[in-house]
Amino acid sequence: LKTAKGKEVFKRLVAISDIVVENFSTRVMARWELDYPRLREVNPGIILASVYSQGATGPESGFVSFGGTLEQLAGITYLTGYPDEMPGVLTVQLPDPVGGSMAAGLILAALRQRRLTGEGTHIDLSQRENVTALLGAMVLDYEMNDRVPERRGNRDRHNAPQGAYRSDGEDAWVTIAVENDEQWAGLCDAIERPELVDDERFASVLGRHEHHDDLDAIITLWTETRSKHAAMTTLQRHGVPAGAVYDSSDLYADEHLKERDYWDEVEDPDAGTHLYPGRPMRLSKTPLSTWRPTPTLGQDNDYVFGKLLEMSAGEVAALKERGLIGSEPTEAARRGRL
């Protein structure tokens, strides 16, 4: 896209397309002379979805960032972790998947608007602002009460006791959250300590909050002698909200996910045949399945340039020869210079 020929081919694609999605910094598309005003000259109905770091405007609009730094700027990192420790990052790099999901929804809205008006649009999506919007009550607490929420670890402002309790096995845990007196009585029965119901320290929610450390020690004495699944089952049978903390192997073995055919067996020419996470939804009239593995670099070049743009085999070969398209990473890309 830095070359005149590359831009020419790209614009031919834009001319026959509905949507362009890009996740560059704000400078890149303009530097290539492929920003929204120029794309609109090629196709007035084009929808450009720009998934920016901080958005297209403002003093930080030129910043380049990654999921971990966006979590910190968005405010979510400050709330993650234990009160007496440094803030922690989320290992799933949350801004990336939620940014993609939000962009997909916005694109559908833009397509609907174009159907009504005939006009395309430029979607300026800030990943930072998108994550801040997820904080909800945490932001409102400051707005309404001038109070900055603190890290609570696994504890809760309302439920007590609540936490992740060590179970039998390596790095095995079960989570428990008691919402009211009825569940508290169920917990006492489940851990075979019915006398705790009448203990003055724990007789009220306020008391259970005040003596939470004592409760954690008592509950751990019971959970650490049982597997996380056994503890979860016993607690749930007594009406106590509880769940085993699953690792990857637990997820693959989970009977509920198996029954819903969540795992998708895919044969990949490079990686072989494996089970992959499937789709969290079912459609009554449209079965969903993986119809091919993730495409390799350049796998669809012949289809895109040969069929969609009606280029001859010689023209496609010339693009490959000039390095404008290809099926192998460039040497710079191999060194990480993308």
Side-chain angles (χ1 to χ4, degrees), residues 148-176:
V148 177
E150 298 292 335
R151 291 181 297 284
R152 293 177 171 272
N154 294 313
R155 293 187 179 178
D156 183 77
R157 183 176 296 170
H158 306 288
N159 302 336
Q162 173 169 303
Y165 298 91
R166 184 176 296 281
S167 303
D168 184 34
E170 184 178 354
D171 198 20
W173 306 82
V174 60
T175 57
I176 303 171

Side-chain angles (χ1 to χ4, degrees), residues 7-8 10-17 20 29-30 32-48 119-122:
K7 291 186 179 69
E8 174 198 326
F10 181 76
K11 288 179 179 179
R12 288 176 62 184
L13 281 172
V14 171
I16 63 170
S17 298
V20 174
M29 294 294 277
W32 287 340
E33 299 180 341
L34 295 172
D35 50 3
Y36 181 62
R38 292 181 173 92
L39 296 186
R40 199 168 182 276
E41 292 174 359
V42 177
N43 181 350
I46 196 69
I47 295 165
L48 173 62
E119 293 290 324
T121 192
H122 181 203

Side-chain angles (χ1 to χ4, degrees), residues 168-230:
D168 184 34
E170 184 178 354
D171 198 20
W173 306 82
V174 60
T175 57
I176 303 171
V178 173
E179 302 167 304
N180 51 48
D181 291 340
E182 182 180 0
Q183 292 174 4
W184 166 240
L187 175 64
C188 294
D189 286 339
I191 66 174
E192 301 172 359
R193 295 291 302 274
E195 76 279 3
L196 293 177
V197 173
D198 299 320
D199 191 309
E200 291 184 357
R201 295 173 297 169
F202 314 132
S204 65
V205 174
L206 180 60
R208 294 194 287 274
H209 274 290
E210 292 176 349
H211 299 280
H212 209 302
D213 289 344
D214 294 336
L215 278 176
D216 285 349
I218 293 170
I219 294 170
T220 300
L221 286 174
W222 181 81
T223 58
E224 66 185 2
T225 63
R226 292 158 175 79
S227 73
K228 58 187 179 183
H229 294 96

Side-chain angles (χ1 to χ4, degrees), residues 84-96:
D84 55 347
E85 296 179 5
M86 291 286 288
V89 297
L90 306 179
T91 57
V92 294
Q93 302 289 297
L94 188 65
D96 294 325

Side-chain angles (χ1 to χ4, degrees), residues 232-264:
M232 172 185 72
T233 302
T234 299
L235 290 162
Q236 289 181 354
R237 194 165 57 241
H238 285 80
V240 181
V245 178
Y246 274 8
D247 58 23
S248 297
S249 63
D250 293 316
L251 290 172
Y252 275 97
D254 185 80
E255 292 300 325
H256 178 79
L257 296 179
K258 287 181 180 179
E259 172 120 357
R260 284 179 57 81
D261 292 325
Y262 174 70
W263 300 106
D264 209 352

Side-chain angles (χ1 to χ4, degrees), residues 125-141:
L125 174 59
S126 164
Q127 289 182 279
R128 172 185 177 178
E129 294 166 23
N130 193 38
V131 175
T132 297
L134 299 178
L135 300 183
M138 304 300 180
V139 176
L140 288 177
D141 196 12

